[in-house]
Amino acid sequence: MTTGTMTPGAAKPQPHHGPLTRLFGGRRNLQTTLSLTLMALPGIIALLVFAYLPMVGLVIAFKNYRFADGLWGSAWVGFDNFRFLFGTDVAWRITRNTLLMNSIFIITGTVASLVIALLMNEVYTSWVSKYYQTLLFFPYFVSWVIVSYFVFGFLNAETGIVNQVITAFGGDPISWYREARYWPLILTFSHLWNSVGFGSIIYLAGILAIDPAYYEAAKIDGASKLQQVRYITLPLILPLIIILVLLSIGRIFNADFGLFYFVPRDNPQLYPTTDVIDTFVYRSLVRLGNISMAAAAGFYQSVVGFVLVLLANWFVRRINRDYALF
Amino acid sequence: MVHRSRSILLSLVLILAVVAGCAAPGAAPAPGAPGGQGGTALIPVTYTYAGGGVPRDLQMVQDAINAILNESIGVNLTLEPIDWGAFNERMQLRLAAGEPCDIIFTAPWINSYTNNVANGALLPLDDLLKEHAPGLWASMPPTTWDAARINGVIYGVINQQIFPKPWGVHARKDLLEKYNFSLDNVKRWEDMEPWLEAVKNGEGITPVYADQGSYSLWRPQYYGYDPLDDGIRFVGIKADDETLTVVNLYETPEYIEAVNLTKRWVDLGYFPRELLPRDEARAAFRAGLFAMGYHVEKPGNDVEMQTAVGWEFVSKNLTDPLILDTAGATATMNAICATSRNPVAAMKVLEVLNTDPVVYNLLARGIEGVHWVWEDKANRVITYPEGVTSATSGYEPNTDWMFGNQFNAYYRSAAQVGAWEATKIMNDTAYPSQALGFVVDRKPIETEIAQLIAVMDELERPIAQGYIAYEVGAPELLARMNAAGAQKVIEEVQRQLLAWREANPR
Amino acid sequence: MTTTAELQTRPTVRATVRRPFNWGQLVVHLILSLVGIACLLPMLLIVSISLSSEREIALNGYRLWPQGFTLFAYEYILQQPGQILRAYGVTAFVTAVGTLSGLLVCSLLAYPLSRQDYIFRRPLSFYVFFTLLFNGGMVPFYILMTRYLGLKDNILALILPYMVTAWYVLILRTSFAQLPIDLLDAARIDGAGEWRIFFQIVLPLSKPVLATIGLFFVLRYWNDWFLALLFMNRADLYPLQYLLYVLMTNINVLASNPQTVGIPIPVQSTRMAMAVLAFGPALFTFLLLQKHFVRGITIGGLKG
């Protein structure tokens, strides 16, 4: 399904139009542009009001915000508010953990969601398929606080199920909450469990939108199921995959606070692998209540994510400009 | 063409709908604008505090209070409880946004007092207090008021309650009797050990209660230190040190003693290895999985603990001498917003709340005959009316210490009679720390503090929890703390402290 | 490239061709069942814990079957049933209005962005995308909402801020861009305006993605408590999740407030009971609507 750039009317002769009309490619296109802009307008205004207007607050990151002085009256302090993020050797660790864990999440999440979506598509006509969909959505309703109870129920030293199994097979029980090295795996599982239903339903919607004619033709050519996936399904939902990955890259510096804070139970011995930018900022600032430093941390995360997306987008554009974000 | 014009019309409608939703700039009614122009010109005052939801009978209580206040000081008070879960966030946003308010609850631990003062959100109260609240001003000695001063100015009215921290133990009465142990001879934590050993072996439980928020025998005041600032955690002075020498608490022999003892208790199985969140730990206590706790053993704590976890307790304070420090004295306060339109009236309300037991108990306990009745009027003991329980009562905030002088509160049970007097004696006889009244200005060292908190959370907690021996963990902790600017913080606090002493000679 | 006529006459493959039983299908079912059970078990645990006594949980840990069966947690939460019912009403209203208006505004914005011939396509895409990453923080947002928009204690405060979400717009855009362009061109040649094309061709063809994004909107509005935390002082406008959040923090404060009188509230079972009350009705509606939901997807899938 190609997204051609054929625009009706563009090739027609363009007699006697004003400069503005000519700029928009003729009367027909001027009207099209007008209509389309009108359509976009409610959304544009909503974003302007609820997203762009508050962005004047970004200056807080560069100010020593004092309630009494307000946004404009507070003193400028340059990059002072950013210092606490980079001052210690922890800076490297939280950056590494955030990037690494989020990269793992993006890759495993995308693959798992895709696989589940493909599997569900295979049995879509079966009566049980809708139960799968519903079941997969359950975890999305469960808050991380509650997940932390379950994980603890599974892993705690005394009554934990996992250790009971290990000892039943003659192994030594593991102190899960003292050993940082297990946690990338535990967190990845928790994240997958929580998000796979959500991700797979987007891909399933994309797959279901594919014209069945393609599969018919492939069947006539004798293509196997795997070949159909390889040559029809995946290429056709590639734009969707790319857009979702690009969007996740934009958030790669923002960790899921609930997951990283509640599930390891804010246990200091696990920080080497579980401490991320968001939990660090929370711990450092919650007792200080410093709005400016919190704003600085958020700004830093946004800028890095922004740069990464620009790079990724540039890369995608070079390969296929239709797939790019902008 | 017809289609097109209709579509344009449609989009116009859509836009208007969106704009209408967003418009009305500046249309927000000015809160606190004088209501009821006709007749008496009552001055409106709003009191904003934290509470467990809006009580069903809030309006009734407010009316009853206003029936008194309208007459006596010409004020119409609006009570505005904000849910606990929203209070800190919403108060900070309101103050940050410069929204007008009158009286607000503020403390070191929620809606931060020092933070609010640093942000210029609170009104200086010295003159207002002396002029419009003489009874309140006289109810506490100047040294206590000094605790609320920041750079010499009072910004908050201290609610009288327990000020020093009498760290001690509360042990289950049934198990004390079963193992034939008395707290009479217990002077220090260590003295509990024979009983802990007996309980551990006899009951098969880990006897000492601990949770994720309360996990160590390190309690600065028990060991004679004034920690100066709970937010910084690692700096302090010996409470009786007249030279006011600021030290890194984690290098003191007392700290080492405390964490070594904690580790010993963990190793002996007296103290939990794996810490539960408070709610789960409390549930375990109720289920009988712990035998004792260590806490602020103020008078009446045994009764309070019994209602909380269901066992009968014997409690004993082990902290001697008691130390009065700034954080303890300012644990709960009410303040007046810098944006208040009627500060004088607000101060008059604070005067009434702190000196008039009738109004105070209306706010803290509700209306007589509706929410409570006298059980023993001479001793000021109340109980529920027929057919009312704590669960069905329409007004029961349970936060005496938020509304004013707690010593004016009616007792909930006969067992508590005398607790206020005993507490007041503790307050009056506690040793005032040499630094009482000093508050750290965190601004110049905020970056370092943020970094240090992260380091301490990671490396100090395992030591304090008794997982890692001090000798093993301390070198890295201290090295990383120094790298994060511990020395700079100590020097800055020392400088501020000496400058403060210069300005406030003892 | 297929034409409109061909598409419409094509037999509905999925519905008519019955595949014979095969082992591949069995394996697929097996895998999906296992994943499904992994998702279901914790939900059963939540229900079980909500019905267990605090003492048994403390002594034995979690079990799939309630131990020391008690309804105390539910009784406690439902003490004032009117309050909970009202909160359900607020949440239902916010979710319904928010989802419908959000879907409309987002797809109206996404459609022009999906058009290669729309000259503001790139700058506008960027305009949308930028809001995904940057935000001004809470203080300016709060000032804007309360002082300039006057939305304090207004139910619109729970709806408007989430109405346009960059993430949803960009997914919709990607999906719209994949519609067969011939169909749109054919309609244009027939003289249809952009609005008609959008409502009569683009939207009907996009049912799968609309259903998906609609579901996301539903979840987002249903689960939100943060906006209420910032802007709702009036208890009668509390949405469900915020009411539960408030009840929970109040219980926690009570549990650690030594002054508390009366019976201590079992925190764990109450928290689980709240989770049941929060997602139970949502799941129930989801199951009820699913028939339509699934059909919507299927029809859309066949047509597209």
Side-chain angles (χ1 to χ4, degrees):
Chain A
M1 220 163 294
T2 55
T3 41
T5 46
M6 186 180 82
T7 47
K12 287 175 191 163
Q14 313 273 328
H16 312 301
H17 286 313
L20 192 66
T21 317
R22 223 175 300 131
L23 178 71
F24 285 80
R27 181 174 293 280
R28 174 96 174 106
N29 276 14
L30 177 63
Q31 277 159 356
T32 304
T33 303
L34 260 177
S35 294
L36 291 176
T37 307
L38 270 179
M39 285 170 132
L41 210 51
I44 293 174
I45 292 172
L47 283 180
L48 182 72
V49 173
F50 293 104
Y52 281 95
L53 282 185
M55 272 188 214
V56 295
L58 288 174
V59 300
I60 289 178
F62 303 95
K63 288 191 158 206
N64 176 9
Y65 187 70
R66 236 177 130 255
F67 298 173
D69 301 331
L71 206 55
W72 308 119
S74 297
W76 292 96
V77 293
F79 283 90
D80 262 13
N81 292 322
F82 292 82
R83 279 201 303 137
F84 86 106
L85 276 173
F86 305 105
T88 59
D89 42 359
V90 180
W92 155 241
R93 190 177 73 190
I94 54 176
T95 308
R96 180 201 64 197
N97 285 347
T98 311
L99 277 176
L100 203 65
M101 290 311 295
N102 272 337
S103 308
I104 294 175
F105 290 173
I106 293 173
I107 294 167
T108 55
T110 306
V111 171
S113 301
L114 262 176
V115 168
I116 302 259
L118 288 169
L119 292 178
M120 291 221 274
N121 183 47
E122 280 313 304
V123 295
Y124 198 76
T125 46
S126 162
W127 62 273
V128 279
S129 72
K130 64 179 168 184
Y131 292 100
Y132 295 146
Q133 269 188 59
T134 313
L135 285 179
L136 283 173
F137 243 98
F138 278 11
Y140 192 77
F141 286 93
V142 183
S143 70
W144 286 121
V145 177
I146 289 180
V147 174
S148 79
Y149 284 114
F150 296 142
V151 175
F152 187 72
F154 277 117
L155 299 179
N156 75 62
E158 279 143 32
T159 54
I161 300 161
V162 176
N163 274 346
Q164 285 177 7
V165 172
I166 291 177
T167 43
F169 283 95
D172 291 324
I174 297 170
S175 300
W176 297 98
Y177 284 86
R178 305 267 181 79
E179 302 265 2
R181 62 199 160 114
Y182 298 118
W183 281 84
L185 200 64
I186 298 169
L187 292 173
T188 306
F189 267 113
S190 306
H191 175 261
L192 273 183
W193 178 80
N194 178 265
S195 66
V196 134
F198 200 87
S200 61
I201 205 161
I202 306 183
Y203 288 125
L204 185 61
I207 294 172
L208 289 173
I210 295 172
D211 188 344
Y214 288 105
Y215 293 103
E216 282 305 291
K219 266 189 211 152
I220 292 163
D221 292 345
S224 72
K225 269 269 162 330
L226 278 180
Q227 283 171 323
Q228 288 175 35
V229 169
R230 165 80 178 77
Y231 293 105
I232 300 172
T233 316
L234 286 183
L236 285 177
I237 57 167
L238 192 60
L240 197 56
I241 301 176
I242 287 174
I243 207 93
L244 289 177
V245 170
L246 277 178
L247 294 179
S248 342
I249 289 175
R251 308 283 300 171
I252 204 165
F253 244 54
N254 301 65
D256 185 341
F257 174 77
L259 171 62
F260 286 92
Y261 188 78
F262 292 116
V263 178
R265 303 203 148 196
D266 189 29
N267 191 330
Q269 278 156 303
L270 304 180
Y271 289 168
T273 56
T274 63
D275 199 15
V276 289
I277 297 174
D278 296 81
T279 51
F280 172 79
V281 169
Y282 176 78
R283 282 204 324 275
S284 312
L285 298 186
V286 72
R287 276 162 285 210
L288 294 176
N290 187 320
I291 291 175
S292 300
M293 273 152 80
F299 188 72
Y300 167 62
Q301 290 176 310
S302 300
V303 169
V304 177
F306 186 60
V307 171
L308 289 176
V309 175
L310 286 187
L311 282 176
N313 190 61
W314 172 81
F315 186 72
V316 171
R317 268 185 84 80
R318 285 196 48 156
I319 292 169
N320 184 337
R321 49 174 299 163
D322 286 347
Y323 292 170
L325 201 48
F326 41 79
Chain B
M1 266 338 253
V2 178
H3 287 308
R4 197 163 296 120
S5 54
R6 200 172 10 162
S7 62
I8 288 168
L9 195 69
L10 177 61
S11 48
L12 274 176
V13 171
L14 277 171
I15 292 160
L16 284 176
V18 172
V19 172
C22 314
Q37 290 292 328
T40 53
L42 292 172
I43 305 167
V45 171
T46 304
Y47 178 24
T48 310
Y49 54 94
V54 177
R56 207 165 53 241
D57 295 343
L58 181 74
Q59 188 65 43
M60 195 196 293
V61 169
Q62 185 178 305
D63 291 345
I65 292 173
N66 277 327
I68 299 172
L69 294 188
N70 290 355
E71 285 295 311
S72 60
I73 53 174
V75 162
N76 196 48
L77 184 67
T78 304
L79 297 175
E80 189 185 28
I82 294 181
D83 293 300
W84 279 108
F87 181 72
N88 192 52
E89 199 102 61
R90 211 181 277 167
M91 270 331 288
Q92 289 296 300
L93 278 174
R94 278 180 167 195
L95 295 173
E99 244 176 66
C101 48
D102 297 315
I103 305 175
I104 57 169
F105 179 71
T106 179
W109 49 278
I110 195 167
N111 189 22
S112 167
Y113 176 62
T114 45
N115 208 26
N116 286 339
V117 171
N119 274 300
L122 303 181
L123 207 65
L125 299 183
D126 297 71
D127 297 340
L128 282 170
L129 268 169
K130 285 169 203 160
E131 209 168 315
H132 301 284
L136 169 58
W137 177 248
S139 70
M140 282 178 275
T143 45
T144 308
W145 282 111
D146 283 347
R149 289 185 193 278
I150 292 183
N151 295 329
V153 181
I154 297 173
Y155 294 93
V157 171
I158 294 172
N159 292 338
Q160 288 202 63
Q161 49 146 353
I162 180 86
F163 291 154
K165 294 216 159 51
W167 298 108
V169 294
H170 51 273
R172 266 170 60 182
K173 200 174 174 193
D174 56 331
L175 292 176
L176 284 175
E177 282 162 8
K178 185 172 173 186
Y179 295 99
N180 200 15
F181 192 81
S182 159
L183 294 187
D184 293 347
N185 295 322
V186 174
K187 296 269 183 292
R188 307 291 289 170
W189 309 120
E190 303 83 294
D191 298 339
M192 296 299 293
E193 285 185 359
W195 180 70
L196 293 174
E197 181 68 22
V199 171
K200 189 197 116 192
N201 295 330
E203 306 293 311
I205 56 175
T206 306
V208 183
Y209 170 94
D211 62 43
Q212 283 178 349
S214 164
Y215 46 71
S216 177
L217 295 171
W218 166 242
R219 303 285 155 175
Q221 294 89 353
Y222 173 93
Y223 290 99
Y225 282 95
D226 173 351
L228 298 179
D229 186 330
D230 285 339
I232 305 180
R233 294 206 321 240
F234 74 98
V235 296
I237 62 161
K238 264 282 191 197
D240 56 359
D241 178 5
E242 288 176 17
T243 65
L244 296 173
T245 308
V246 178
V247 294
N248 183 339
L249 292 173
Y250 301 152
E251 289 175 321
T252 61
E254 288 87 353
Y255 176 81
I256 299 172
E257 182 193 329
V259 296
N260 281 344
L261 183 61
T262 310
K263 174 124 186 15
R264 178 178 150 81
W265 282 15
V266 169
D267 292 344
L268 288 171
Y270 302 160
F271 202 93
R273 257 173 204 285
E274 214 143 276
L275 296 172
L276 297 166
R278 171 158 295 167
D279 51 352
E280 286 172 56
R282 284 281 176 120
F285 210 159
R286 280 197 281 276
L289 296 178
F290 294 115
M292 68 158 257
Y294 54 98
H295 205 269
V296 177
E297 305 297 336
K298 59 188 178 188
N301 192 49
D302 46 349
V303 182
E304 292 184 355
M305 284 311 298
Q306 186 182 352
T307 44
V309 297
W311 302 94
E312 229 181 298
F313 284 101
V314 179
S315 90
K316 182 168 184 187
N317 163 36
L318 303 181
T319 303
D320 184 39
L322 287 170
I323 289 164
L324 181 61
D325 58 22
T326 308
T330 58
T332 56
M333 286 184 283
N334 287 302
I336 299 177
C337 298
T339 53
S340 171
R341 290 177 184 149
N342 301 299
V344 170
M347 181 50 82
K348 286 180 181 166
V349 172
L350 286 173
E351 163 84 351
V352 174
L353 282 179
N354 279 280
T355 55
D356 183 341
V358 175
V359 175
Y360 171 77
N361 278 294
L362 272 173
L363 187 56
R365 298 277 189 256
I367 298 169
E368 183 182 356
V370 181
H371 305 114
W372 56 269
V373 290
W374 289 114
E375 184 178 279
D376 174 0
K377 194 165 180 179
N379 281 316
R380 298 188 297 160
V381 181
I382 60 167
T383 186
Y384 292 107
E386 250 337 277
V388 177
T389 67
S390 66
T392 60
S393 176
Y395 188 82
E396 182 150 69
N398 263 328
T399 47
D400 312 343
W401 39 263
M402 189 176 281
F403 301 130
N405 184 351
Q406 192 185 19
F407 301 148
N408 284 332
Y410 303 148
Y411 293 116
R412 283 256 177 223
S413 82
Q416 286 177 311
V417 172
W420 299 151
E421 285 74 11
T423 307
K424 191 153 175 46
I425 289 172
M426 276 191 167
N427 285 356
D428 293 345
T429 57
Y431 178 84
S433 161
Q434 292 291 330
L436 177 66
F438 169 70
V439 177
V440 178
D441 175 11
R442 294 177 187 161
K443 262 283 169 293
I445 39 176
E446 215 151 26
T447 299
E448 285 75 18
I449 297 171
Q451 293 169 352
L452 282 161
I453 287 175
V455 173
M456 291 186 287
D457 272 345
E458 181 183 349
L459 297 174
E460 194 267 337
R461 254 158 61 183
I463 297 174
Q465 288 168 352
Y467 295 152
I468 296 175
Y470 182 83
E471 313 82 71
V472 178
E476 193 191 350
L477 169 69
L478 296 174
R480 291 254 310 265
M481 282 179 68
N482 285 331
Q487 211 48 46
K488 183 179 169 193
V489 171
I490 291 175
E491 281 160 19
E492 173 63 22
V493 173
Q494 182 73 72
R495 190 194 61 73
Q496 289 182 16
L497 188 57
L498 292 177
W500 167 82
R501 169 58 14 110
E502 193 97 354
N504 305 274
R506 202 153 195 177
Chain C
M1 191 71 66
T2 52
T3 68
T4 325
E6 270 176 318
L7 261 178
Q8 280 160 353
T9 52
R10 194 171 298 283
T12 49
V13 180
R14 261 174 261 254
T16 53
V17 179
R18 236 188 99 68
R19 297 177 185 131
F21 177 84
N22 66 45
W23 285 102
Q25 291 257 315
L26 188 71
V27 172
V28 170
H29 277 296
L30 210 67
I31 295 171
L32 288 176
S33 311
L34 279 178
V35 176
I37 289 171
C39 295
L40 179 67
L41 275 185
M43 307 307 274
L44 295 180
L45 266 180
I46 289 177
V47 176
S48 159
I49 296 167
S50 75
L51 295 167
S52 296
S53 88
E54 184 191 45
R55 198 186 142 74
E56 300 291 324
I57 299 172
L59 292 175
N60 306 327
Y62 306 143
R63 295 280 183 277
L64 267 181
W65 197 252
Q67 350 166 38
F69 182 88
T70 170
L71 286 172
F72 185 88
Y74 292 92
E75 280 163 16
Y76 175 77
I77 302 169
L78 298 173
Q79 269 176 59
Q80 296 180 30
Q83 197 186 14
I84 293 265
L85 282 179
R86 241 203 115 74
Y88 271 122
V90 171
T91 295
F93 177 81
V94 167
T95 306
V97 174
T99 302
L100 290 178
S101 53
L103 261 185
L104 182 66
V105 176
C106 280
S107 25
L108 276 173
L109 177 55
Y111 176 61
L113 299 183
S114 75
R115 288 278 298 267
Q116 296 285 341
D117 56 339
Y118 180 52
I119 58 163
F120 300 126
R121 194 177 82 101
R122 278 192 75 190
L124 211 49
S125 293
F126 186 82
Y127 175 86
V128 171
F129 163 77
F130 195 74
T131 64
L132 191 74
L133 286 183
F134 288 89
N135 67 73
M138 278 203 303
V139 175
F141 180 59
Y142 181 84
I143 295 176
L144 173 85
M145 291 285 286
T146 56
R147 202 182 301 165
Y148 294 99
L149 304 182
L151 287 178
K152 203 176 203 172
D153 282 330
N154 186 329
I155 201 158
L156 285 177
L158 305 181
I159 297 175
L160 293 177
Y162 290 160
M163 216 167 63
V164 180
T165 303
W167 208 73
Y168 302 163
V169 174
L170 293 171
I171 291 176
L172 284 167
R173 181 198 83 160
T174 311
S175 185
F176 291 161
Q178 288 183 289
L179 293 174
I181 196 142
D182 331 22
L183 266 181
L184 308 188
D185 287 345
R188 217 165 283 135
I189 289 160
D190 292 345
E194 290 300 337
W195 288 84
R196 213 174 111 196
I197 293 176
F198 176 74
F199 280 109
Q200 296 192 346
I201 298 175
V202 173
L203 286 190
L205 283 180
S206 303
K207 273 184 189 160
V209 72
L210 288 175
T212 308
I213 299 296
L215 188 64
F216 293 169
F217 265 118
V218 168
L219 290 172
R220 178 153 199 200
Y221 280 115
W222 186 275
N223 285 331
D224 182 66
W225 48 270
F226 190 66
L227 289 175
L229 183 146
L230 297 185
F231 302 116
M232 286 300 150
N233 289 320
R234 277 172 53 191
D236 58 338
L237 283 179
Y238 283 2
L240 181 70
Q241 297 283 2
Y242 180 63
L243 179 66
L244 295 179
Y245 167 80
V246 161
L247 286 175
M248 200 65 230
T249 44
N250 289 344
I251 291 173
N252 269 329
V253 171
L254 284 184
S256 42
N257 175 4
Q259 266 191 15
T260 306
V261 286
I263 324 155
I265 312 301
V267 175
Q268 275 194 79
S269 55
T270 311
R271 177 172 283 141
M272 298 297 172
M274 285 178 182
V276 172
L277 290 173
F279 69 64
L283 276 186
F284 185 68
T285 327
F286 193 57
L287 281 172
L288 275 186
L289 291 179
Q290 199 183 35
K291 223 185 326 178
H292 308 284
F293 177 62
V294 169
R295 198 162 53 207
I297 287 186
T298 319
I299 292 168
L302 288 175
K303 269 197 179 166

